[in-house]
Amino acid sequence: MRKELAAFALIACASPALADGYDGYRSHAAELDAYLQCVPYARDVSGIELYGDAHTWWSQAQGRYATGNTPRPGAVMAFRPHRNMQLGHVAAVSRVLDSRRVLLDHANWSPINGRRGQVEKDVLAIDVSPANDWTEVRVWYAPLGDVGRTAWPVYGFIYGDGRAEPRRQIAMAPARKQTSRRFLSAFAEFSD
């Protein structure tokens, strides 16, 4: 148990997604804000109960969920690994605009205010595949204020059963810019 706590503390301290500006918060007990990844966010908003890295979702969905190449609201767009996105990406379709444009809800795509792990809602994705089959898309990228130039490869869409209810968030703790000495000292006896 001690080793697990020590490992958790080390991971938490090394987290790159510490929120900016701790000084204004009244409670010094709050330490870290979650670094939201695309997988738990897509699972939460779509109700599709798949786990593991985003690039595994497509194969996991086979025989368990319906899949295809037609966007539908609530479906998850499963991106293939490409360039620096080695673990793939998943995003929920919030709205279909036409045969080549959809709006997505996803997390950890664009850095916003210099921070990764942010949620973006209703961002544009454009099908740029030659066959209009959603195998390549360009996606809104906040730092550019436009869809990027990269054509991201896509496996297709995973369709949920529509029964999912989003989990309610009970509380969110503000994060510190740096981990406090008090927090680190609480785990000092567990380190080797």
Side-chain angles (χ1 to χ4, degrees):
M1 176 72 163
R2 285 183 176 198
K3 286 186 178 185
E4 290 174 11
L5 285 173
F8 173 76
L10 290 173
I11 290 169
C13 294
S15 174
L18 300 175
D20 294 324
Y22 172 74
D23 297 332
Y25 293 111
R26 292 182 186 176
S27 170
H28 293 276
E31 287 293 331
L32 301 173
D33 194 10
Y35 185 93
L36 190 56
Q37 297 287 344
C38 64
V39 167
Y41 183 78
R43 183 174 41 249
D44 191 52
V45 298
S46 71
I48 294 175
E49 291 292 320
L50 296 176
Y51 295 84
D53 293 332
H55 72 91
T56 69
W57 274 42
W58 187 254
S59 61
Q60 287 185 63
Q62 303 309 307
R64 191 166 168 199
Y65 291 96
T67 59
N69 288 74
T70 305
R72 295 183 201 157
V76 169
M77 181 186 290
F79 291 72
R80 295 176 180 271
H82 183 65
R83 292 185 178 176
N84 63 340
M85 188 178 70
Q86 296 176 5
L87 298 177
H89 184 69
V90 286
V93 176
S94 60
R95 191 168 155 202
V96 177
L97 299 176
D98 56 41
S99 67
R100 297 201 55 125
R101 298 179 311 141
V102 298
L103 298 180
L104 300 175
D105 291 349
H106 60 167
N108 200 27
W109 184 266
S110 297
I112 299 172
N113 296 325
R115 293 178 51 222
R116 284 266 180 215
Q118 305 299 304
V119 171
E120 293 178 281
K121 293 186 174 238
D122 294 327
V123 296
L124 183 63
I126 301 171
D127 175 19
V128 293
S129 59
N132 191 22
D133 61 2
W134 289 92
T135 54
E136 291 183 311
V137 297
R138 290 193 177 146
V139 180
W140 175 266
Y141 189 63
L144 295 176
D146 200 356
V147 294
R149 292 188 194 117
T150 303
W152 297 97
V154 173
Y155 290 111
F157 297 91
I158 303 168
Y159 309 112
D161 59 11
R163 292 180 296 164
E165 293 181 23
R167 286 178 280 164
R168 281 186 284 171
Q169 182 173 333
I170 304 303
M172 177 181 270
R176 294 180 182 226
K177 192 169 188 172
Q178 293 183 348
T179 304
S180 71
R181 287 186 186 131
R182 191 175 103 201
F183 178 80
L184 293 174
S185 68
F187 294 97
E189 67 182 85
F190 299 110
S191 63
D192 291 10

